[in-house]
């Protein structure tokens, strides 16, 4: 093979290692990440020595993390990201600063120079975005409180890596930092950063969707895939150009395209590349473990790995408690953030000998890589010995739906709304398959004899198992608006034979469902609110028939107004104007009807008095 091109040889080595080791690792119950890490150790400099250029592979494989952040961004609309601003900058900064402060104190107390202790603390405070998000995704935890909190902290860490890297030249001292940078140059650099971010935001808003629409019209799927990859590569290059995090830029682009009609297609096209490159990244991490340093100082390496992970475990567990994360979710959350991260490699390698001596750099990089290797192993032990102790409360321990179902009606979400729907259908002898992702709800309903399956209805594989491919109707009754829309999208794309009956939380949700072509929509509180108003009228002395007629007229007018404002709901100014005009017209109409009723009631009373007087004159008995 000495005449074979380098790319062919490398591909053969990496793919062979992954295909042989990863399935074996999963069969042993260790997970895919450990398989990739072990494969990297096996082919790396301290294994068979098949690969020597570890740093080049690591830099290339980091693109897998970039693609992963882009896909995560596609799941977060700008409004949802804005709602996460407090946990990102609040809890994220608390985690980084608290961990760095305690690690710095421990390092300084152990006799390290303050510069060494500070850089080591800042680098070790960061966690692995790749491993954490991969595990959160595999366990379907990203939408849980712990998953949202973990994601927020990891995102802040990507942002925090930028000022940490900017701090390194200052720590190296003026002599090592080279010539002083003028104020004008600093201003230019700042403007360049602002300009690139503005280009990404404005381009994502104004240019990307028309461009993707134009490419999609060519009906060449491979070009659309190429365009999706080009988008991520171009944004990563722009961020690299101004010295910012490539992953952060990709995430921002994903957020801007989260509302795009091409979101699903982008996810489908990029997912395979993300998976392969992430696997390559973990292989590169395995290859980067310097067993020479481990052999030379095994005691010191063990103390460093155990020490920094224990410190982070204590700090992060305390933080999880302060954040109000359920105690059954804290172990996984804490462990995933306690390991070292890929950005630590960049920090330690960028510090240079002026701040970190080479032997300390090797020691720290080895400690981070070992922590990333140990973390999935510890997760296996956690699953086996810790989490079962409170499995009756842990959503991750409930068995998901696994047996193929064939009922003609599928209900997604079985809270107070879905239960009424389900009970009525079941009372008519209909077989219904129910999916709910709330562990407490599932356990409680099973005790009352309901046949409810635990599962996330936003997962395509679980929907297939639940019988979505043969169902005639699906009732989308979940509480969360985003999940509701995601389920509707999945059914429209994959199970078009099923008629969708959806619960709308509010008018905005109703309009979003209409945009997706859903016809059968019920606003969850509309009818019950009308009945309450009707009862209030009757309590005030209105005749029952008149109260009923008034509520029905109000219902018809409200539905008509909803139809009138629907075409304008994305234009806030027009929406408000149409809404005000419609309400005013309705109020004027109701005022006219009230006046007519008053006059009619007056005429009826006058006629009654006249008839009574006439009977009196004729000597007939008067009524009432």
């Amino acid at each position: 093979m000495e005449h074979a091109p380098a790319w062919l040889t490398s591909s053969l080595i990496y793919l062979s290692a992954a295909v042989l080791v990863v399935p074996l690792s999963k069969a042993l119950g260790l997970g895919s990440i450990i398989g990739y890490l072990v494969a990297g150790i096996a082919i790396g400099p301290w294994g068979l020595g098949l690969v020597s250029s570890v740093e080049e592979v690591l830099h290339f494989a980091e693109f897998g993390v970039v693609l992963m952040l882009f896909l995560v961004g596609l799941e977060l609309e700008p409004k949802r990201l804005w709602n996460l601003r407090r946990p990102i900058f609040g809890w994220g900064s608390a985690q980084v600063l608290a961990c760095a402060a305690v690690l710095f104190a421990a390092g300084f107390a152990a006799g390290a120079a303050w510069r060494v202790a500070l850089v080591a603390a800042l680098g070790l405070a960061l966690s692995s975005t790749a491993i954490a998000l991969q595990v959160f995704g595999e366990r379907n935890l990203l939408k849980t409180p712990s998953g949202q909190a973990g994601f927020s902290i990891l995102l802040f860490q990507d942002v925090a890596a930028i000022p940490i890297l900017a701090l390194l030249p200052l720590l190296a001292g003026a002599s090592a930092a080279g010539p002083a940078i003028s104020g004008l140059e600093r201003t230019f650099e700042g403007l360049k950063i602002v300009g690139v971010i503005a280009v990404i935001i404005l381009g994502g808003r104004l240019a990307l969707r028309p461009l993707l629409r134009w490419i999609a019209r060519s009906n060449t799927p491979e070009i659309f895939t190429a365009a999706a990859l080009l988008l991520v590569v171009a944004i990563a290059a722009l961020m690299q150009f101004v010295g910012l995090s490539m992953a952060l830029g990709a995430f921002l682009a994903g957020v801007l395209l989260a509302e795009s009609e091409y979101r699903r297609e982008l996810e489908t096209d990029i997912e395979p590349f993300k998976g392969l490159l992430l696997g390559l990244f973990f292989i590169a991490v395995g290859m980067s473990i310097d067993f020479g340093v481990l052999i030379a100082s095994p005691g010191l390496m063990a103390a460093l790995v155990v020490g920094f992970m224990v410190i982070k475990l204590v700090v992060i567990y305390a933080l999880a408690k302060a954040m109000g994360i359920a105690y059954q979710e804290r172990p996984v959350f804490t462990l995933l953030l306690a390991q070292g991260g890929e950005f630590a490699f960049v920090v330690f390698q960028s510090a240079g000998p002026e701040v970190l001596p080479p032997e300390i750099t090797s020691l720290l990089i080895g400690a981070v890589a070992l922590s990333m290797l140990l973390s999935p192993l510890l997760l296996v032990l956690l699953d086996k010995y810790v989490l079962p102790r409170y499995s009756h409360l842990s959503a991750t321990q409930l068995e998901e739906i696994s047996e193929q179902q064939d009922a003609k009606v599928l209900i997604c979400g079985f809270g107070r709304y879905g239960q009424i729907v389900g009970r009525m259908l079941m009372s008519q002898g209909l077989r219904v398959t129910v999916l709910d992702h709330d562990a407490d709800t599932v356990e409680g309903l099973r005790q009352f004899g309901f046949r409810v399956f635990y599962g996330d209805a936003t997962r395509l594989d679980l929907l297939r198992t639940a019988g979505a491919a043969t169902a005639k109707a699906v009732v989308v009754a979940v509480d969360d608006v985003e999940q509701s829309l995601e389920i509707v999208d999945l059914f429209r794309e994959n199970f078009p034979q099923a008629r969708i009956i959806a619960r709308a939380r509010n008018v905005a949700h109703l309009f979003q469902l209409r945009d997706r072509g859903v016809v059968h929509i019920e606003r969850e509180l509309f009818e019950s609110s009308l009945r309450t108003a009707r009862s209030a009228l009757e309590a005030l002395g209105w005749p029952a028939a008149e109260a009923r007629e008034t509520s029905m007229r109000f219902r018809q007018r409200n539905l008509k107004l909803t139809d009138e404002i629907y075409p304008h709901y994305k234009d806030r100014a027009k929406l408000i104007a149409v809404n005000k005009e419609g309400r005013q017209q309705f109020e004027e109409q109701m005022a006219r009807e009230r006046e007519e009723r008053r006059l009619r009631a007056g005429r009826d009373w006058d006629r009654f008095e006249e008839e009574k007087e006439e009977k009196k004159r004729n000597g007939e008995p008067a009524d009432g």
Side-chain angles (χ1 to χ4, degrees), residues 3-4 17 50 104 122 267 275 329 392 423 502 554 556 621:
H3 300 298
L50 299 177
F104 171 76
L122 291 171
E267 286 179 345
E329 297 181 11
H392 63 287
R423 287 169 61 189
F554 180 88
Q556 292 167 0

Side-chain angles (χ1 to χ4, degrees), residues 44-73:
W46 293 94
L48 299 175
L50 299 177
V51 179
S52 56
S53 54
V54 178
E55 285 190 17
E56 292 181 11
V57 176
L58 191 59
H59 289 315
F60 174 71
E62 280 177 8
F63 192 61
V65 182
V66 173
L67 290 176
M68 180 178 65
L69 264 294
F70 177 73
L71 292 177
V72 170

Side-chain angles (χ1 to χ4, degrees), residues 100-118:
V102 178
L103 289 168
F104 171 76
F108 191 68
W114 73 269
R115 283 191 180 93
V116 173
L118 180 59

Side-chain angles (χ1 to χ4, degrees), residues 263-264 401 404-413 432-436 455-478 482-503 513 516-520:
R263 188 186 77 175
R264 289 283 177 196
I401 183 172
Q404 184 65 45
Q405 305 297 311
D406 59 358
K408 297 304 179 185
V409 180
L410 175 59
I411 300 179
C412 302
V432 177
T433 298
V434 178
L435 273 181
D436 198 285
D456 183 358
T458 62
R459 282 178 50 184
L460 185 59
D461 57 330
L462 293 186
L463 287 178
R464 292 189 191 280
T465 306
T470 56
K472 288 186 176 180
V474 55
V475 178
V476 183
V478 295
E482 298 298 327
Q483 288 184 3
S484 167
L485 298 175
E486 192 170 349
I487 293 168
V488 168
D489 288 339
L490 285 172
F491 268 88
R492 284 179 54 77
E493 291 173 15
N494 300 280
F495 315 111
Q497 89 291 339
R499 180 172 294 182
I500 301 172
I501 302 110
R503 160 201 192 180
L513 290 168
R516 288 160 169 78
V518 181
V519 176
H520 304 284

